[in-house]
Amino acid sequence: MDYDADLPAHVERVLAEFLRTAGGPIREIEPTFGAGLDALSGFVLGGGKRLRPSFAWWGWRGAGGDPSDRELAEGVLHAVASLELIQACALIHDDLIDSSDSRRGSPTVHVAFAKEHADHGWLGLPSTFGQAAAVLIGDLALAWADDMFADAPLPPATLAAARPAWRAIRTEVLAGQYLDVHTQVTGDSSVDAALRIDRLKTAAYTVQRPLHLGAALAGASDELVGALLEFGGDLGVAFQLRDDLLGVFGDPSVTGKPAGDDLREGKRTLLVALGLGYAAKRGNTAAAGLIEAAIGAPSLTESEVDDVRAALAEVGAVDAVEQRIEELTSASLAALERAHLAEPATAELTALAAKATKRTY
Amino acid sequence: MDYDADLPAHVERVLAEFLRTAGGPIREIEPTFGAGLDALSGFVLGGGKRLRPSFAWWGWRGAGGDPSDRELAEGVLHAVASLELIQACALIHDDLIDSSDSRRGSPTVHVAFAKEHADHGWLGLPSTFGQAAAVLIGDLALAWADDMFADAPLPPATLAAARPAWRAIRTEVLAGQYLDVHTQVTGDSSVDAALRIDRLKTAAYTVQRPLHLGAALAGASDELVGALLEFGGDLGVAFQLRDDLLGVFGDPSVTGKPAGDDLREGKRTLLVALGLGYAAKRGNTAAAGLIEAAIGAPSLTESEVDDVRAALAEVGAVDAVEQRIEELTSASLAALERAHLAEPATAELTALAAKATKRTY
């Protein structure tokens, strides 16, 4: 297999190896925990776009990392694949916090364990057991992310160079999640709040720090890292804006999530912020009322989601978000050009940028 | 300050330094997260017996670690103090899972953030916000535990030697917590289940792996590590049995937790397992009924807790647990003698053993 061409398959290979090895001793000591280990493996290996390892890999390649040194490439692969375990923790805990029932078309972890509890007629509340399992399995993913990263077969100095990016990515995503929840409860519908969440929770976590991590593994200069952070910042926000649109307009059969769940959960996205802002400016109180009433309304129906879609389009928020995605993507690609990466990294990152901002899922 | 004599103060010093440094950049990027950072600092620096760093330190000293090399001692101090951040995650998440309202006489993290929400009259349910904050702040503690350990100023080979213990401690405590929750919902009141939880959740996590970690930092032989694990296994179970007794019989003004909370939460401790077993053997259906009815009864009153206390004593479960604590402590001290540690480690570990098994809090 070719590392560059088959990157997601390589990432999944080392993740599967790691999960088997890491779970071996504890499965023997305490077989009861097997259900937790299986749930984590199923979650990690059950899908996902492997975006973060991909950005990290191309950060490494762009900074001169050479996969013809197979031993080194395997080490880098371990280090970047561990990002998927951080992501497993983030999603499992996020789904619990947001009370989401399904992800990628399957029940979320807390829902699956609550069902297990109910099916067995165990003591106490199914939801309490589901919560406990999701907290602990997410914790395991986070602890194992660190084990996988720290034990990546790389020279200590190589790994040490990537530590600042590793430190930043975990702290920043947690700060972003906290800000997201905080903004939902305070009801801050400002464009500024939405963009701060996008920069921290998505841009830094999904694009910038993975690129930084990969580039640092190749010993990149501060200047190169700076150019990658500039590319990743704009691209990451564009990626989140696409996600916001899909959260309201996406086809559930493609996204694997019920349409309108972002609205039900009360997410104050840029789309919503612009929708409310434009409706107010135009004196369109009907549209403003529809949008405001939908945010954080758990029992929102399909047809009410349709009404909000129409209102967001009518006041111009959808066009404005599409335009921002285009502008941010262009700006990011200009920054990428200026970075003068080793080829084929520029071409691959350009393709990733297109995939992240034009996707339908 | 003398490292050996003032160990808890040294542990708190490096924790305070780490928390300030680790939180600096994110506090600047996103001041909203300051509430989360402050909650974690308050929790970590607000008390605790520093038992795990102490066992780790004495594992290091016992395996020949020499604090007269101050640079090395500071590095070891950083590595062992990071165990307190794992513990912060474990307690914050455990309190959430168990719906505990207070710890060390203060509101638990999820309760404090729910109150913040209610005081501000924010949107949604206070308990949902409290849950989100506790999940994310616990996650931060776990991620920072790894940062503090991995960035301890020690030679790479020294840290690498301690990695197996570091890996084991996090996986084992999570497996132990899962087993604990699982046993509560399945209602398994066997002595075997109680002891499996004690061995995994307390003995391995609180005593064995900390000793292992410390000894490994000093380059201990497998033989020495084995002797320490033997000492720590018996001592750790004895420690948990003392905790079980305090959970039912402890003075709330000393323990900081409401008396009987272990019963309300449905914890299937050895004390409870023996109580039920002895009551059945003696045909004491009144005592058996009292104990069984109390497990997992959230609204248990003070006077009902008194009745359970009397029942546990009457059937002989309290004496039996006290006797086990004594036997396990003796066996552990015999294993400690056989380990032939560098002095004053034997004396200090003997004192820690007494503190852990004879305490009233």
Side-chain angles (χ1 to χ4, degrees):
Chain A
M1 279 199 297
D2 178 350
Y3 285 110
D4 286 351
D6 303 316
L7 189 57
H10 280 286
V11 167
E12 282 153 28
R13 170 176 58 80
V14 296
L15 281 168
E17 273 169 26
F18 173 83
L19 289 165
R20 204 168 42 242
T21 310
I26 196 68
R27 199 182 281 273
E28 206 149 301
I29 295 171
E30 187 45 65
T32 309
F33 196 45
L37 300 172
D38 293 342
L40 179 58
S41 291
F43 189 91
V44 171
L45 303 176
K49 297 183 278 289
R50 316 299 178 199
L51 264 182
R52 292 159 196 85
S54 298
F55 279 116
W57 177 264
W58 288 108
W60 179 67
R61 295 281 282 112
D66 180 2
S68 70
D69 179 344
R70 293 188 72 85
E71 206 181 312
L72 179 65
E74 282 293 314
V76 169
L77 202 55
H78 273 81
V80 305
S82 66
L83 293 169
E84 288 289 302
L85 289 168
I86 301 179
Q87 172 70 349
C89 169
L91 294 180
I92 292 168
H93 283 176
D94 222 20
D95 286 341
L96 174 68
I97 289 170
D98 293 340
S99 292
S100 302
D101 290 338
S102 67
R103 159 147 334 254
R104 299 178 199 141
S106 295
T108 49
V109 171
H110 65 280
V111 167
F113 277 78
K115 186 174 180 305
E116 180 83 2
H117 183 287
D119 287 351
H120 284 88
W122 282 335
L123 303 168
L125 294 174
S127 61
T128 304
F129 182 66
Q131 178 197 50
V135 167
L136 297 173
I137 293 167
D139 287 351
L140 187 71
L142 187 56
W144 281 9
D146 276 295
D147 288 344
M148 190 174 187
F149 178 77
D151 294 330
L154 286 167
T158 304
L159 263 186
R163 272 263 156 214
W166 184 256
R167 279 199 299 270
I169 196 171
R170 287 135 61 252
T171 295
E172 285 169 358
V173 70
L174 290 167
Q177 308 252 55
Y178 181 83
L179 182 62
D180 194 6
V181 172
H182 190 265
T183 305
Q184 285 173 50
V185 300
T186 58
D188 184 349
S189 292
S190 65
V191 167
D192 172 62
L195 284 175
R196 271 158 58 213
I197 296 172
D198 294 347
R199 294 224 162 255
L200 210 50
K201 191 173 161 175
T202 310
Y205 171 59
T206 303
V207 191
Q208 289 176 298
R209 293 305 179 188
L211 285 168
H212 180 187
L213 183 83
L217 287 171
S221 67
D222 288 351
E223 199 191 338
L224 178 53
V225 169
L228 287 170
L229 291 178
E230 209 184 320
F231 161 65
D234 286 340
L235 176 62
V237 173
F239 171 82
Q240 182 57 50
L241 299 186
R242 174 61 59 210
D243 216 50
D244 293 350
L245 285 170
L246 289 170
V248 178
F249 292 87
D251 177 351
S253 73
V254 182
T255 63
K257 285 183 284 195
D261 253 21
D262 275 8
L263 295 170
R264 291 187 191 89
E265 289 163 15
K267 295 233 181 283
R268 305 271 163 175
T269 62
L270 184 74
L271 175 66
V272 162
L274 290 177
L276 289 171
Y278 290 169
K281 211 155 80 183
R282 295 172 190 193
N284 189 337
T285 49
L290 269 172
I291 301 167
E292 190 57 67
I295 306 169
S299 54
L300 203 66
T301 65
E302 260 308 304
S303 103
E304 286 167 328
V305 174
D306 274 340
D307 293 343
V308 176
R309 286 187 186 123
L312 288 168
E314 190 194 337
V315 299
V318 176
D319 287 346
V321 170
E322 287 286 3
Q323 194 187 326
R324 271 203 196 220
I325 292 174
E326 221 172 283
E327 287 167 4
L328 286 164
T329 307
S330 299
S332 76
L333 292 176
L336 183 61
E337 285 301 327
R338 287 196 299 276
H340 299 294
L341 298 185
E343 279 307 341
T346 304
E348 292 286 344
L349 285 170
T350 303
L352 267 178
K355 197 169 145 188
T357 55
K358 300 207 175 88
R359 72 210 149 88
T360 56
Y361 60 97
Chain B
M1 277 198 298
D2 178 349
Y3 286 109
D4 286 351
D6 303 315
L7 189 57
H10 280 285
V11 167
E12 282 152 28
R13 169 175 59 81
V14 296
L15 281 168
E17 272 169 28
F18 173 83
L19 289 165
R20 204 169 41 240
T21 309
I26 196 69
R27 199 182 282 271
E28 205 149 301
I29 296 171
E30 188 43 68
T32 308
F33 196 44
L37 301 172
D38 292 343
L40 180 58
S41 291
F43 190 90
V44 171
L45 302 176
K49 297 183 276 288
R50 316 299 178 200
L51 264 182
R52 292 159 195 85
S54 298
F55 278 116
W57 176 264
W58 288 108
W60 179 68
R61 294 282 280 112
D66 180 1
S68 71
D69 179 344
R70 293 188 72 86
E71 207 181 311
L72 178 65
E74 282 293 312
V76 169
L77 203 55
H78 273 80
V80 305
S82 67
L83 293 169
E84 288 288 303
L85 289 168
I86 303 179
Q87 172 70 348
C89 170
L91 294 180
I92 292 169
H93 283 177
D94 221 21
D95 285 342
L96 173 68
I97 289 170
D98 293 341
S99 292
S100 301
D101 291 337
S102 67
R103 163 152 324 260
R104 299 180 199 140
S106 294
T108 49
V109 171
H110 65 280
V111 167
F113 277 79
K115 186 174 179 305
E116 180 83 3
H117 183 288
D119 288 351
H120 284 89
W122 283 334
L123 302 169
L125 295 174
S127 61
T128 304
F129 182 67
Q131 178 197 50
V135 167
L136 296 173
I137 294 167
D139 287 352
L140 186 72
L142 187 56
W144 281 10
D146 275 295
D147 288 344
M148 189 174 188
F149 178 77
D151 294 330
L154 285 168
T158 304
L159 262 186
R163 272 263 157 214
W166 183 254
R167 280 199 299 271
I169 195 170
R170 287 135 60 254
T171 296
E172 285 168 359
V173 69
L174 290 167
Q177 309 252 54
Y178 181 83
L179 182 63
D180 194 7
V181 172
H182 190 265
T183 305
Q184 285 173 48
V185 299
T186 58
D188 183 349
S189 293
S190 65
V191 166
D192 172 62
L195 283 175
R196 271 157 59 214
I197 296 172
D198 294 347
R199 293 223 163 256
L200 210 49
K201 192 174 160 174
T202 311
Y205 171 59
T206 304
V207 191
Q208 289 176 298
R209 294 305 180 189
L211 284 167
H212 181 186
L213 183 84
L217 287 171
S221 67
D222 288 352
E223 198 193 337
L224 178 53
V225 169
L228 286 171
L229 292 177
E230 209 184 319
F231 161 66
D234 286 339
L235 176 61
V237 174
F239 171 81
Q240 182 57 51
L241 299 187
R242 173 61 58 209
D243 215 51
D244 293 350
L245 285 170
L246 289 170
V248 178
F249 292 87
D251 176 353
S253 73
V254 182
T255 63
K257 287 184 282 196
D261 254 20
D262 275 8
L263 295 170
R264 290 188 191 90
E265 289 163 14
K267 295 231 180 287
R268 305 269 163 176
T269 62
L270 184 74
L271 176 66
V272 162
L274 291 178
L276 289 171
Y278 290 168
K281 212 155 80 183
R282 295 175 189 191
N284 189 337
T285 50
L290 268 172
I291 300 167
E292 191 56 70
I295 306 169
S299 55
L300 203 68
T301 64
E302 259 307 305
S303 103
E304 286 168 326
V305 173
D306 274 340
D307 293 343
V308 177
R309 286 186 186 124
L312 288 169
E314 190 194 337
V315 298
V318 176
D319 287 346
V321 171
E322 287 285 4
Q323 195 187 327
R324 273 205 195 218
I325 292 174
E326 221 173 285
E327 286 166 5
L328 286 163
T329 307
S330 298
S332 76
L333 293 176
L336 183 61
E337 285 300 327
R338 288 195 299 276
H340 299 295
L341 299 184
E343 280 306 342
T346 305
E348 292 287 344
L349 285 170
T350 303
L352 267 178
K355 199 169 144 187
T357 55
K358 299 209 176 86
R359 73 210 149 87
T360 56
Y361 61 98

